[in-house]
Amino acid sequence: MPKRGMQPIRRHELVVAAVQAIHERGLNGVTMGDIAKRAGVSPALAHHYFGSKDELLSATMRHLLGEFALAARRRLAEAGDPRGRVDAILEACFAPEQFSPAVISAWLAFYMQSIHDTAAARLLAIYLKRLEANLRHDLRPLVGDGAPALARGIAAMIDGLWLHAALPTLHRSPGEALGILRDYVDGRLAVART
Amino acid sequence: MPKRGMQPIRRHELVVAAVQAIHERGLNGVTMGDIAKRAGVSPALAHHYFGSKDELLSATMRHLLGEFALAARRRLAEAGDPRGRVDAILEACFAPEQFSPAVISAWLAFYMQSIHDTAAARLLAIYLKRLEANLRHDLRPLVGDGAPALARGIAAMIDGLWLHAALPTLHRSPGEALGILRDYVDGRLAVART
DNA sequence: TATTTTTAATTGACTGCTCAATCAATAAAA
DNA sequence: TTTTATTGATTGAGCAGTCAATTAAAAATA
């Protein structure tokens, strides 16, 4: 069996498996066995490549952050005026790549983890600060001094819509979420113009 | 030691302790020992009064739901016109009683639990449906057909603001959250009037 | 009133299980 | 022969849940 150069492949497989496993069992409920089984390897191998459960989960979090940053950057590169750039960010948040139930669950699990885990909190804070800074920057020409508050509101609403999207009983669609967000932004822009 | 009639007192103490313990260790990280210690009793007693960890956590969730329902009802009873009633709901969400860090953490932990626990999901769905129904009812005279979408947006933003309030690194205040929410509602009302 | 009996509260000690982490052994590629 | 991939078996810790024993209040009885 031993083909060489497996390390990066296995690490990626395990991280992807971790996202799924977290979705089904929760961040604290998940075991190395769950993750390894889903990746088709033994629990011992997961330890071999990550050293500890903490490290695997931490790598999973960084993976999610990285994927999102990539998606956002791609969309922003193609956007034009400020309003278009704001929309690019919103779309990145609800694009199908980001928006699978498992990915949302895992994201939210890391949010919760950040409440009592300072390492996770640091990572998440960087992401949130950057998101808000981007929004603020593009909102400034649209709403002036109202930009900081609106950016915070949008960031909060994004996370709230994610939270609701993660609850199966509510069965909300990404399209609906985007509509609600756009209504919010448009409402505030209309007020700002008067 | 044995004073009689301890059951309701101990149950309440344990539920309150559970909220604190969940805040510090997370829903799945928390142990009966954590909770019992914080309540000043032995782990065995917690089992005696609740039968299982699941039952204790479930009772804790029902406690939070009940407390919020009470706060909302009180405020709604004193509210006047539709806009005032909407504001009463928003204020109930960010009132200090509801808004301690521990209480928010516990709320969010139950949200996460609902992703893979159908019993929790059922309870939470009832709460969310009722919240949205109340909002929709009072928004109808203000924005007509836009009421359902706006109600969903408000509900999502409330939860997003809670989520952000739970993250210590962001240090957001309840007052700021209320301001952002009111701006959102006012923006949509202004658009609806034109 | 004095006593015995019953009942509720409470805990320490124990059990069994799950799981993270370790390690020595095996297999194959280089 | 060396290096890398991989696993089965094992260890040790932590925790939910059980149970028998202890204490004291309350109720019943003498």
Side-chain angles (χ1 to χ4, degrees), chain A residues 155-166:
Chain A
M157 189 182 263
I158 288 169
D159 290 339
L161 289 165
W162 276 16
L163 194 52
H164 285 196

Side-chain angles (χ1 to χ4, degrees), chain A residues 12-183:
Chain A
H12 184 258
E13 286 172 345
L14 282 163
V15 161
V16 169
V19 171
Q20 280 295 330
I22 289 166
H23 173 53
E24 288 172 27
R25 310 280 249 235
L27 187 55
N28 281 294
V30 87
T31 71
M32 289 299 259
D34 287 335
I35 299 170
K37 186 188 240 180
R38 195 163 259 96
V41 299
S42 73
L45 196 68
H47 271 98
H48 175 65
Y49 281 127
F50 287 94
S52 73
K53 186 184 178 184
D54 266 10
E55 241 311 290
L56 169 47
L57 294 179
S58 172
T60 305
M61 183 175 188
R62 293 194 300 273
H63 172 73
L64 293 177
L65 290 164
E67 289 285 297
F68 174 77
L70 190 65
R73 244 181 287 126
R74 264 205 276 267
R75 269 159 233 268
L76 277 174
E78 293 179 4
D81 60 331
R83 183 58 219 268
R85 290 175 57 85
V86 170
D87 234 59
I89 295 172
L90 304 187
E91 275 171 25
C93 292
F94 294 93
E97 333 133 38
Q98 294 298 316
F99 207 70
S100 81
V103 171
I104 303 174
S105 287
W107 263 102
L108 293 171
F110 285 126
Y111 265 81
M112 297 304 294
Q113 182 75 359
S114 302
I115 294 175
H116 40 253
D117 173 346
T118 55
R122 236 188 322 271
L123 279 179
L124 196 58
I126 293 170
Y127 151 78
L128 281 173
K129 291 253 159 77
R130 193 172 303 168
L131 177 68
E132 268 186 49
N134 278 329
L135 286 170
R136 219 162 38 228
H137 172 263
D138 293 319
L139 288 170
R140 179 87 47 187
L142 298 170
V143 297
D145 287 347
L150 183 51
R152 289 182 176 197
I154 292 172
M157 189 182 263
I158 288 169
D159 290 339
L161 289 165
W162 276 16
L163 194 52
H164 285 196
L167 300 178
T169 39
L170 297 182
H171 37 76
R172 301 280 159 83
S173 74
E176 185 189 358
L178 258 182
I180 289 172
L181 260 170
R182 290 200 177 108
D183 282 351

Side-chain angles (χ1 to χ4, degrees), chain B residues 20 44 108 137 141-142 144 187:
Chain B
Q20 280 295 329
L108 293 171
H137 172 264
L142 298 170

